[in-house]
Amino acid sequence: MGKKEEYIYAGIPTFMGGDFIEESEIYKYDIIFLGIPCDYGASYRLGAKYAPRKLREYSFWDRIYGQTLYDLDTKKILKTNKFKIADLGDVFVDPTHPDKNQEAIKNKTYAIAKKSFPLICGGDHSVTYGSFIGVLKAMNEEYPDYEIGIIHFDAHLDVEKDYLNMPNVWHGNVFRRLIENRYLKGENLYTIGPRGLVEEEWFKYIQKEGINLYTSNDVKLRNIETIMNEILDKNKNKKIKFYITFDIDSIDSSYIFGTGTPQINGLNPFDCDKALQFMKNFDICGFDIVELNPTLDNSYNSFIIACELIYHFLAIGLRR
Ligand SMILES: [Mn+2]
């Protein structure tokens, strides 16, 4: 944004080098980055609260700015989006008051979605609860005749119940809570990437609510583009916008070390890259990436993968 060229490692790391702004300036930008540094909603290995700062650091690799690029696969010249990107900083998260934080998250994402596009970095997956509700509220006001669904990438279903002393919304129950509290219909939730063995009760919940499930093996056997086209087809007669929530543990544990609850046999970056580029065919109203944990990946390779996926989503997958 008219700033001087610097080496990747130099300068103050706002997201993709965008302007650091106050809430009153949101309307001037196409994409607003927001960090939500929390990890009290994670049940196992903590550290996701350090992710927003680390993602900013690694986001310097890529620029959008409407560049003309040559696509080596299609042999075509590609024009990327000319988005003006800003960084709104982080939600003030009080680690001892999860419910209060959900309110703060909701208010921030509402303010962003009213005038721009929210690009959110958690935090553990509990942040998606407040974040989605904020975006939903803004969309209900701006586009009252639209439904708002979620395209959800994850190793896990995230439809569990309460768990020990975890907060009311924790990273294992976020979609059950959204459905229970009537912010989301199961039929508008598309979950891509779960795998392995799960409790029967969770699977019954998925079936009862009509949640659309595409397992990691479905993606491998059927091809990600087939699946994305199927989702598109299911919604062709609907006025619907989608919020994307990307749990980094959807990707296989051999690629992503930097996450609290990794699982084998996951999606590969190729699948995710294709899926996020395919989003140009949908009406997308928000995006979050969650569960990155820099304390578990000293190479920060997980962040390089995450940033490249976000870059391709912004450059190719997001049409506004
Ligand atoms: Mn999750």
Side-chain angles (χ1 to χ4, degrees), residues 45-319:
R45 304 186 296 177
L46 305 189
K49 68 182 172 199
Y50 304 111
R53 188 175 281 187
K54 191 57 73 181
L55 192 82
R56 287 183 173 101
E57 195 181 323
Y58 279 85
S59 69
F60 267 55
W61 199 266
D62 300 309
R63 306 287 158 117
I64 306 299
Y65 305 155
Q67 289 159 313
T68 304
L69 302 168
Y70 188 78
D71 185 334
L72 289 173
D73 288 321
T74 61
K75 314 275 184 281
K76 282 183 183 156
I77 295 289
L78 186 80
K79 270 243 173 250
T80 68
N81 280 320
K82 286 184 184 168
F83 289 138
K84 283 168 70 185
I85 299 174
D87 190 326
L88 188 60
D90 290 346
V91 174
F92 183 84
V93 169
D94 174 350
T96 57
H97 290 94
D99 292 339
K100 199 177 83 185
N101 296 335
Q102 290 291 2
E103 276 300 301
I105 294 167
K106 183 184 88 180
N107 293 340
K108 282 279 184 204
T109 59
Y110 169 77
I112 296 171
K114 283 291 273 187
K115 294 183 171 143
S116 185
F117 182 87
L119 183 70
I120 292 143
C121 178
D124 67 76
H125 216 155
S126 70
V127 306
T128 299
Y129 185 79
S131 171
F132 176 72
I133 294 171
V135 173
L136 177 71
K137 188 171 165 232
M139 291 302 114
N140 284 345
E141 289 172 10
E142 301 292 320
Y143 306 95
D145 52 341
Y146 275 77
E147 292 183 64
I148 310 297
I150 298 183
I151 301 178
H152 165 213
F153 297 85
D154 210 309
H156 314 97
L157 302 168
D158 293 359
V159 295
E160 298 180 38
K161 291 181 170 170
D162 293 341
Y163 179 53
L164 299 174
N165 262 351
M166 298 302 293
N168 174 38
V169 180
W170 62 291
H171 77 167
N173 75 354
V174 57
F175 299 98
R176 182 187 286 258
R177 279 279 184 269
L178 283 172
I179 291 170
E180 274 174 0
N181 295 336
R182 298 182 176 277
Y183 294 109
L184 178 67
K185 284 195 249 172
E187 65 178 56
N188 289 338
L189 175 58
Y190 292 83
T191 300
I192 304 170
R195 51 212 184 243
L197 307 176
V198 301
E199 287 186 25
E200 185 189 17
E201 195 264 313
W202 308 341
F203 184 66
K204 283 197 168 151
Y205 182 79
I206 291 272
Q207 288 192 306
K208 174 168 78 77
E209 296 297 333
I211 295 167
N212 305 274
L213 173 63
Y214 298 94
T215 67
S216 178
N217 278 333
D218 286 335
V219 174
K220 287 185 177 66
L221 299 171
R222 296 183 56 213
N223 177 319
I224 188 68
E225 290 204 356
T226 308
I227 285 169
M228 296 311 292
N229 271 306
E230 193 173 295
I231 299 172
L232 192 63
D233 198 56
K234 276 190 184 178
N235 290 284
K236 68 170 185 280
N237 297 321
K238 260 187 181 176
K239 277 193 155 181
I240 187 163
K241 291 173 181 284
F242 283 102
Y243 177 102
I244 300 170
T245 180
F246 195 95
D247 187 326
I248 200 72
D249 69 24
S250 58
I251 302 178
D252 192 82
S253 55
S254 61
Y255 297 100
I256 301 289
F257 298 163
T259 194
T261 45
Q263 236 182 312
I264 63 166
N265 298 332
L267 305 178
N268 59 43
F270 174 86
D271 300 323
C272 298
D273 203 23
K274 285 281 171 220
L276 290 176
Q277 291 182 37
F278 190 91
M279 296 302 175
K280 63 177 179 284
N281 300 297
F282 289 96
D283 191 348
I284 304 295
C285 59
F287 177 97
D288 71 43
I289 188 157
V290 295
E291 296 286 341
L292 280 156
N293 182 340
T295 68
L296 297 166
D297 178 4
N298 286 343
S299 75
Y300 307 120
N301 181 55
S302 310
F303 286 80
I304 289 173
I305 293 172
C307 284
E308 199 145 2
L309 290 173
I310 294 170
Y311 171 57
H312 287 171
F313 168 63
L314 294 179
I316 302 165
L318 182 62
R319 294 289 161 208

